[in-house]
Amino acid sequence: MHLLEEDQGRCVKADIISTVEFNSTGELLATGDKGGRVVVFQREQESKNQPHRRGEYNVYSTFQSHEPEFDYLKSLEIEEKINKIRWLPQQNAAYFLLSTNDKTVKLWKISERDKRPEGYNLKDEDGRIRDPTTITALRVPVLRPMDLMVEATPRRVFSNGHTYHINSISINSDYETYMSTDDLRINLWNLEITNRSFNIVDIKPTNMEELTEVITAAEFHPHQCNTFVYSSSKGSIRLCDMRAAALCDSHSKFFEEPEDPSNRSFFSEIISSISDVKFSHSGRYLMTRDYLTIKVWDLNMENKPLETYQVHDYLRSKLCSLYENDCIFDKFECVWNGSDSVIMTGSYNNFFRMFDRNTKRDVTLEASRENSKPRAVLKPRKVCVGGKRRKDEISVDSLDFSKKILHTAWHPNENIIAVAATNNLYIFQDKVN
């Protein structure tokens, strides 16, 4: 595996990466950060004299997507932090992506310019307007080559749709609509219409004191444009069908694992909250991430998950201190590989975990600067709990909980992964290539 690193020296809060997303071909990779910036990386093209450079990602475009705002009616600051980025499928030479902060979704167009028009009739070479009386002949403008420029322009701004913070956006497979989700509501938007959206889920109780759960994430089915799922802080997933009713408050399917009474503790409810939900590429399975586990559900089996993987079970004894330092509320994401056979999610101490669904083997890897020289092979890491510690193991008591990998992405067709560790982006690639 090799590494590409985006480093700003000491970590400033604005530089912390808050989302990572490949586009549908994997040629581009976008990151958003807490400072409201979006950085797009482009993959190097194959070159005969440097075949090993294929797969390296270089900065393609950087732009400020969101600015900090102030809601004067509620006296609230609205952070510029990018919560999610979603790419639209490419349909022409330009690329389009949606980015969102807590309140506003924006559609950005990223396009290239390598020619510029010259020979205007009404302007001189410096761009000053010419005196019309001095114009005696008409010139035909010509396009001259220029240095390649990549421009990012906002095409649509979808605002005023949410009272609460937006936690996820998802583009529908019809490529005409997308949904945005906050703690209590899900809205459906048309990509062409910015001034109105349709509320498709509303779990807000009449009396807010009766509120028992919030929506944590939502996603459209990859092939069926009428189906979507959303997860809740109570550890349940609801599958909804927009053909059944305009307001999808009643679900078609309800996925929840009954709790084992012997494991019940003060933290049970907190750690059962689902932080991420993802459909498999095939559309047959769902993957959910809660604080300690990752679960794979078959859409045809609601009563229990098909597979359960322990991400960091050694933290079970540490829940008390994780509650005190607020880490227990961290929201880890999870991703599928292109063939749905391997799943990946993050942990603490800059560790990330991969689970092979076929062989049931799993591995813990570390994204850190010390052990990541370009083209170095990552060594599996092991955490030991109590007892004697082997030479290459790390004790659970010496894990660094300030270094957490919340955001990861997997190339749609190849074994290339992107891992965000605070303000560094690591790109690892399968050694076979």
Side-chain angles (χ1 to χ4, degrees), residues 98-100 103-107 156-158 166 169 178 180:
L98 285 175
S99 66
T100 184
K103 296 287 181 201
T104 308
V105 184
K106 293 184 179 180
L107 175 68
R156 310 257 189 286
V157 177
F158 305 88
I166 298 172
I169 48 177
Y178 77 91
S180 56

Side-chain angles (χ1 to χ4, degrees), residues 47-179:
S47 73
K48 285 199 174 71
N49 44 3
Q50 285 180 311
H52 67 274
R53 281 186 65 90
R54 172 71 177 150
E56 291 200 4
Y57 284 80
N58 299 315
V59 176
Y60 177 63
S61 171
T62 306
F63 58 93
Q64 188 71 30
S65 173
H66 288 69
E67 303 279 357
E69 292 174 55
F70 192 77
D71 183 338
Y72 292 99
L73 287 175
K74 298 199 180 92
S75 295
L76 278 179
E77 280 185 51
I78 300 166
E79 284 189 351
E80 65 273 39
K81 173 190 163 208
I82 309 290
N83 292 344
K84 284 283 185 292
I85 288 172
R86 289 289 178 263
W87 290 93
L88 273 72
Q90 194 180 356
Q91 283 164 342
N92 52 28
Y95 302 98
F96 288 87
L97 63 82
L98 285 175
S99 66
T100 184
N101 67 347
D102 284 342
K103 296 287 181 201
T104 308
V105 184
K106 293 184 179 180
L107 175 68
W108 288 88
K109 176 186 181 182
I110 301 167
S111 51
E112 295 183 356
R113 263 215 344 230
D114 59 356
K115 293 185 177 60
R116 66 163 186 264
E118 272 183 15
Y120 290 104
N121 288 293
L122 302 176
K123 292 178 186 168
D124 60 21
E125 297 310 315
D126 302 329
R128 288 190 297 263
I129 301 288
R130 290 168 63 187
D131 178 5
T133 55
T134 63
I135 301 173
T136 54
L138 277 180
R139 293 151 68 180
V140 178
V142 289
L143 287 172
R144 295 242 188 274
M146 60 177 249
D147 288 344
L148 178 70
M149 258 176 66
V150 181
E151 295 178 314
T153 44
R155 298 308 301 269
R156 310 257 189 286
V157 177
F158 305 88
S159 51
N160 304 325
H162 289 274
T163 315
Y164 307 97
H165 290 348
I166 298 172
N167 56 43
S168 50
I169 48 177
S170 178
I171 294 169
N172 200 345
S173 56
D174 63 8
Y175 306 142
E176 288 180 11
T177 54
Y178 77 91
M179 66 180 173

Side-chain angles (χ1 to χ4, degrees), residues 310-312 314 345-355 361-367 371 378-383 394 399:
Q310 301 296 335
V311 178
H312 36 218
Y314 45 78
T345 191
S347 179
Y348 294 103
N349 208 64
N350 278 354
F351 288 171
F352 58 98
R353 302 269 284 137
M354 288 181 173
F355 303 93
R361 296 209 335 248
D362 64 280
V363 65
T364 302
L365 300 169
E366 182 181 5
N371 62 9
L378 287 183
K379 287 195 189 71
R381 303 298 307 259
K382 282 205 165 48
V383 177
I394 179 166
L399 294 175

Side-chain angles (χ1 to χ4, degrees), residues 237-293:
I237 310 113
R238 291 171 175 84
L239 181 97
C240 301
D241 187 340
M242 292 193 290
R243 294 171 303 187
L247 193 61
C248 301
D249 285 352
S250 55
H251 47 266
S252 318
K253 292 191 175 184
F254 182 79
F255 302 87
E256 188 174 43
E257 186 168 32
E259 194 192 10
D260 178 2
S262 63
N263 271 344
R264 178 114 189 102
S265 75
F266 170 73
F267 305 108
S268 295
E269 275 198 11
I270 303 174
I271 63 172
S272 67
S273 175
I274 293 174
S275 53
D276 196 16
V277 58
K278 293 260 171 50
F279 274 104
S280 63
H281 295 83
S282 67
R284 167 82 191 267
Y285 303 105
L286 271 177
M287 167 168 58
T288 58
R289 170 73 210 259
D290 57 41
Y291 191 64
L292 293 177
T293 67

